[in-house]
Amino acid sequence: MSDLKQHFDKVAENYDKEIYKTFPRYDEMIEALVNAIPTDMDSPKVLDLGCGTGNITKKVLEVFPNAKVTCLDISDKMIEISKEKLSGYDIEYVLGDFTIIDIIDNYDVIISSLALHHIKTDEEKLEMYKYIFNALNDGGVFYNADVVKSDSPYNTELNERKYIEYMQSKNATNKEIEDFKNRRNDNDSPITLFKHFNLLEEVGFSHIDVIWKYYGNAVFGATKIE
């Protein structure tokens, strides 16, 4: 994942600006992710896997001001920006590669946004889900806002077209669109929602569901019930 670290270190400074230029309905997706956290959790212990610049954690703390949050990311540059953005909050930061680091604590909530699709193989994704399951308290929830792969050639083409149309609406140049597509091809390994569900079920999750979906992007997750 060292190449991925270099990539995110490089783009960290402009990440927030670029995400709104390349990712349709980003705010809507994050709102759906945070809304999926059960509201009866007064002071949940939360792990944000691949926290990036802190956008998701910020929204979580606005809804759950008593939450105890740990932010984990592979990029020290991303964490620096997150610390600045969330300077008014007491947050634990961990610099590390979530694909190889053991999640040694226990949490009520584990969330992730636009991170887990960087895990290359289905086997590695399964191992990640095992880590997540084992790190959750009984009744804890995991929710992921991420890129998902279509299961049909037509929908694959449709999802691509919608990305391009959105970027064009934000006045992206042809070069910017091409660079985005190249970065995605180099760094991303998405799978279908059905495959995610199969993996989540295999490791023991219950109440597996889709909260939100817009073409090739989705919010989905599950509950740990022992």
Side-chain angles (χ1 to χ4, degrees), residues 75-126:
S75 167
D76 53 334
K77 302 295 184 184
M78 289 286 195
I79 286 180
E80 285 174 13
I81 294 171
S82 180
K83 285 181 177 179
E84 182 177 345
K85 184 181 296 183
L86 301 169
S87 59
Y89 297 100
D90 182 17
I91 297 170
E92 177 186 22
Y93 290 94
V94 178
L95 178 64
D97 181 347
F98 59 69
T99 66
I100 60 175
I101 192 170
D102 281 331
I103 304 171
I104 58 175
D105 213 337
N106 290 100
Y107 300 90
D108 303 304
V109 178
I110 297 179
I111 51 174
S112 188
S113 172
L114 302 180
L116 300 189
H117 68 275
H118 295 303
I119 299 173
K120 291 296 183 184
T121 69
D122 292 358
E123 292 76 15
E124 290 170 318
K125 288 180 173 69
L126 179 64

Side-chain angles (χ1 to χ4, degrees), residues 14-15 34 61 64 67 87 98 106-107 144 154 173 184 211:
N14 294 313
Y15 181 82
V34 176
L61 288 167
F64 299 91
S87 59
F98 59 69
N106 290 100
Y107 300 90
N144 185 26
Y154 176 77
T173 65
R184 188 177 55 186
I211 304 301

Side-chain angles (χ1 to χ4, degrees), residues 11 14-23 166-167 176 183:
V11 303
N14 294 313
Y15 181 82
D16 285 349
K17 178 182 176 182
E18 289 301 311
I19 202 72
Y20 284 102
K21 196 170 187 176
T22 61
F23 204 93
Y166 176 77
M167 292 183 69
E176 286 174 325
R183 289 197 305 271

Side-chain angles (χ1 to χ4, degrees), residues 177-188:
I177 293 172
E178 198 61 32
D179 287 346
F180 169 76
K181 289 163 66 176
N182 289 335
R183 289 197 305 271
R184 188 177 55 186
N185 290 336
D186 290 341
N187 296 321
D188 296 2

Side-chain angles (χ1 to χ4, degrees), residues 86 92 130 143 199 221:
L86 301 169
E92 177 186 22
K130 287 179 181 177
Y143 280 100
L199 296 177

Side-chain angles (χ1 to χ4, degrees), residues 48 54-63 85-86 89:
D48 186 352
N55 293 329
I56 291 73
T57 287
K58 186 173 187 295
K59 293 294 183 182
V60 168
L61 288 167
E62 288 172 359
V63 177
K85 184 181 296 183
L86 301 169
Y89 297 100

Side-chain angles (χ1 to χ4, degrees), residues 27-85:
D27 284 335
E28 188 178 311
M29 181 184 73
I30 298 311
E31 181 181 7
L33 175 63
V34 176
N35 284 342
I37 301 172
T39 55
D40 59 357
M41 293 184 176
D42 177 51
S43 55
K45 194 171 182 180
V46 181
L47 173 63
D48 186 352
L49 279 177
C51 67
T53 60
N55 293 329
I56 291 73
T57 287
K58 186 173 187 295
K59 293 294 183 182
V60 168
L61 288 167
E62 288 172 359
V63 177
F64 299 91
N66 296 321
K68 300 174 180 63
V69 182
T70 297
C71 286
L72 188 155
D73 202 271
I74 195 172
S75 167
D76 53 334
K77 302 295 184 184
M78 289 286 195
I79 286 180
E80 285 174 13
I81 294 171
S82 180
K83 285 181 177 179
E84 182 177 345
K85 184 181 296 183

